[in-house]
Amino acid sequence: MTTETQAEKKKVIFSGMQPSGNITLGNYLGALKNWTKLKDEYNCLFCIVDLHALTVRQDPTELRKRSRQLLMQYIAAGLDPEKNIIYYQSHVSAHAELAWILNCYTYMGELNRMTQFKEKSQRHSENINAGLFTYPVLMAADILLYQTDLVPVGNDQSQHLELTRDVANRFNNLYGQTFTVPEGYFPKVGARIMSLQEPTKKMSKSDENPNAYIALLDPPDVIVRKLKRAVTDSEGKIAYNDNQPGIKNLINIYCSITEESIESTVERFSGLGYGDFKMKVAEVVVEELRPLQEKFRELEKDKKYIDSIIKNNAEKASYIAAKTLRKVKRKVGLPNTI
Ligand code: ATP
Ligand code: LTN
């Protein structure tokens, strides 16, 4: 078999992140770290979902800057822009086009049940726009355009993925096999890293309080400070249970970095005070992020290289996406282009 046909035979992975803030340790442990493990075995597309970020008001200059930073962080974390397709969603117009068509195959009732919509419309009550409501349909379009087999995400996205599968099946039942029905891929530990300030809420890059999250580009002293301030409890004992969500979260962070089991970590640190345990966590976080931060600083200097990645990869993605979109348009009865 030639290398070409082997590459074609590989399964497809698609995932994405919004450039809606500085990406956090939660995004990294719940998603990005997993992507780097899968990147060689699959044909991978890693998207900067900038159209999704518009569902919340963004400062235009900041959005453009953060999108580029996110792309560089993907690469700095170990994704390979020569082998993996790393690109901006807005550079491939098929995403928005397919999303429109799929809107017509998704029910209001389905979208009404989405917990992310409920949560975000509470948080942004001054701007509950239609994009926020149909957000999962655009996500379905992202995934289905590339005949994706596997979607590595944190488990806050499992409901959106179920919806994607439902829409794909519905369309396939109506028109015959058109879309691959994707599976989710969730890490065992780290699928939901919680806020350092309110450990019952997920760590979120758009949190107003920067002490609630660790950004991937936070310098070591900031990481140490944020972890020292992490909210714990008055039990005073290192244990893994829901009554101690702060400590549970710190254990999850520690274990998903070291890949040590939860049991042995709890046993090893059981004699430590919270302050000392926080320092152990800080040590592994700083060491994990150090190489990424160094690589990021190098990439920042190489504007030409990053520009060429952006251009080439958008072309590659557009080529694949156009095939699915053509098929969909034909099936639903839109006229051929002449
Ligand atoms: P926002 O706060 O703007 O809604 P977010 O921090 O939730 O953003 P996304 O861009 O929506 O981040 O998500 C990117 C990826 O990170 C998704 O796969 C998501 O499941 C994962 N993820 C987000 N937050 C966490 C978390 N706290 N723990 C683990 N994984 C997470
Ligand atoms: N909705 C996701 C981001 C996202 C995504 C995708 C993830 C948009 N499109 C396609 C995986 C596949 C989020 O909020 N984390």
Side-chain angles (χ1 to χ4, degrees):
M1 209 187 289
T2 62
T3 339
E4 181 93 336
T5 35
Q6 268 171 0
E8 275 167 18
K9 276 219 165 330
K10 282 187 188 174
K11 290 199 164 182
V12 177
I13 283 212
F14 185 99
S15 202
M17 285 191 196
Q18 303 181 70
S20 49
N22 301 316
I23 57 165
T24 70
L25 192 64
N27 301 132
Y28 176 74
L29 297 176
L32 185 53
K33 190 174 184 194
N34 246 334
W35 301 357
T36 64
K37 291 184 190 153
L38 300 164
K39 71 178 172 55
D40 296 323
E41 268 173 72
Y42 295 82
N43 280 334
C44 297
L45 296 110
F46 299 115
C47 192
I48 318 297
V49 291
D50 47 7
L51 297 174
H52 275 109
L54 297 181
T55 54
V56 169
R57 239 7 121 236
Q58 305 286 345
D59 175 87
T61 311
E62 273 295 300
L63 179 62
R64 219 177 334 268
K65 184 173 138 210
R66 279 201 308 256
S67 300
R68 198 173 168 100
Q69 285 195 336
L70 182 53
L71 185 126
M72 291 192 286
Q73 287 180 78
Y74 281 5
I75 302 171
L79 302 181
D80 181 347
E82 312 291 336
K83 290 198 195 124
N84 312 140
I85 303 181
I86 299 176
Y87 72 107
Y88 296 136
Q89 185 185 34
S90 63
H91 282 186
V92 180
S93 56
H95 288 249
E97 282 189 73
L98 182 61
W100 173 258
I101 297 175
L102 295 182
N103 265 325
C104 304
Y105 296 84
T106 309
Y107 299 116
M108 299 285 285
E110 288 176 310
L111 294 175
N112 258 325
R113 284 198 291 275
M114 297 292 123
T115 50
Q116 183 175 297
F117 170 67
K118 290 184 208 164
E119 190 260 322
K120 286 207 174 173
S121 38
Q122 264 173 14
R123 213 164 4 129
H124 305 280
S125 54
E126 73 305 335
N127 178 24
I128 308 178
N129 59 71
L132 200 59
F133 188 63
T134 60
Y135 177 113
V137 185
L138 178 58
M139 174 161 167
D142 299 341
I143 296 169
L144 299 178
L145 267 179
Y146 299 94
Q147 306 295 342
T148 302
D149 295 287
L150 214 59
V151 185
V153 278
N155 67 8
D156 59 311
Q157 294 304 309
S158 58
Q159 207 184 19
H160 290 165
L161 207 64
E162 253 337 285
L163 180 77
T164 302
R165 292 164 53 82
D166 290 345
V167 173
N169 278 319
R170 183 171 305 145
F171 197 97
N172 287 346
N173 288 336
L174 282 166
Y175 300 105
Q177 181 58 36
T178 310
F179 297 122
T180 302
V181 181
E183 304 275 345
Y185 184 88
F186 308 97
K188 282 192 206 79
V189 186
R192 195 183 290 257
I193 300 296
M194 307 312 259
S195 155
L196 298 180
Q197 291 302 311
E198 284 175 80
T200 49
K201 246 179 57 183
K202 81 162 187 165
M203 182 182 283
S204 169
K205 64 172 122 64
S206 53
D207 202 308
E208 277 145 29
N209 179 0
N211 286 325
Y213 59 81
I214 291 172
L216 292 197
L217 299 177
D218 275 346
D221 58 318
V222 174
I223 297 178
V224 170
R225 196 182 66 226
K226 287 183 179 177
L227 281 166
K228 269 193 189 159
R229 288 191 189 160
V231 168
T232 49
D233 54 68
S234 52
E235 298 280 323
K237 187 174 178 320
I238 293 176
Y240 191 80
N241 62 62
D242 291 336
N243 299 328
Q244 296 175 257
I247 288 295
K248 180 178 176 185
N249 190 35
L250 294 178
I251 296 172
N252 276 334
I253 292 175
Y254 186 92
C255 291
S256 68
I257 292 175
T258 59
E259 297 184 10
E260 187 177 336
S261 77
I262 289 169
E263 296 72 37
S264 82
T265 304
V266 171
E267 203 181 296
R268 206 149 57 79
F269 293 130
S270 60
L272 286 190
Y274 287 172
D276 291 338
F277 179 56
K278 284 175 171 177
M279 286 313 293
K280 296 277 178 204
V281 180
E283 253 168 51
V284 295
V285 174
V286 167
E287 282 320 307
E288 177 81 5
L289 299 185
R290 190 190 303 280
L292 185 155
Q293 298 186 349
E294 281 166 8
K295 183 83 199 286
F296 180 85
R297 271 181 239 117
E298 274 170 38
L299 289 169
E300 257 184 330
K301 293 184 207 138
D302 207 344
K303 181 169 180 309
K304 261 206 181 130
Y305 171 68
I306 298 296
D307 285 347
S308 73
I309 297 295
I310 292 174
K311 183 163 182 290
N312 296 342
N313 279 325
E315 281 167 9
K316 285 189 207 161
S318 297
Y319 179 79
I320 307 172
K323 275 199 212 166
T324 302
L325 187 63
R326 262 199 307 276
K327 192 155 129 191
V328 169
K329 284 182 170 174
R330 187 161 24 85
K331 296 225 177 186
V332 299
L334 295 173
N336 297 330
T337 46
I338 297 170

